[in-house]
Amino acid sequence: MNLHSIPRAAERRPMSLTVKSRVRSRVVFVDLLDLSEGGCKIRAKPGFAEVGDRVTMKMGGINAPLGSIAWVDGSIAGVAFEGAMHPAVIDFLVEGGAAPDSGPSLRRVL
């Protein structure tokens, strides 16, 4: 069985978003390549994760469900979420509604 023959429970939606994640208790910025209710495909430097590693991700200010690395192929990895991401949240992210995490914003209070 290869990676492309794994049956999917939900449609994978193509993405192009840099995401702040945490793998093995360290911060790793990854490229989010696709997203579904049950998981996603990410890319980072080779060796950033191993199968079974726990992953947390923040996608444009939205916390994704806790996940684990399901497979690794060089710099690409698949993440399986423990819970499901709501379809409306996926639509929001795919349509570009999420801005990159830029830290806290300051505003003047009069």
Side-chain angles (χ1 to χ4, degrees):
M1 177 185 299
N2 66 35
L3 299 178
H4 302 290
S5 68
I6 298 172
R8 304 284 173 198
E11 175 190 2
R12 292 185 289 173
R13 307 274 301 271
M15 294 283 302
S16 180
L17 183 66
T18 299
V19 174
K20 183 177 181 180
S21 64
R22 189 169 287 277
V23 179
R24 295 188 212 142
S25 299
R26 67 180 202 275
V27 173
V28 179
F29 286 91
V30 301
D31 295 322
L32 182 63
L33 303 177
D34 72 28
L35 179 63
S36 73
E37 293 174 31
C40 62
K41 182 171 26 174
I42 57 177
R43 177 179 50 222
K45 292 182 180 180
F48 77 99
E50 296 176 2
V51 173
D53 285 347
R54 306 289 281 183
V55 181
T56 59
M57 291 186 286
K58 191 166 191 172
M59 303 173 182
I62 299 170
N63 290 322
L66 182 62
S68 62
I69 300 293
W71 55 267
V72 177
D73 185 11
S75 63
I76 309 277
V79 177
F81 296 146
E82 288 187 1
M85 183 170 270
H86 195 280
V89 174
I90 294 172
D91 289 342
F92 175 76
L93 293 169
V94 169
E95 292 168 7
D101 291 328
S102 58
S105 61
L106 302 174
R107 63 184 178 129
R108 179 175 287 212
V109 178
L110 302 176

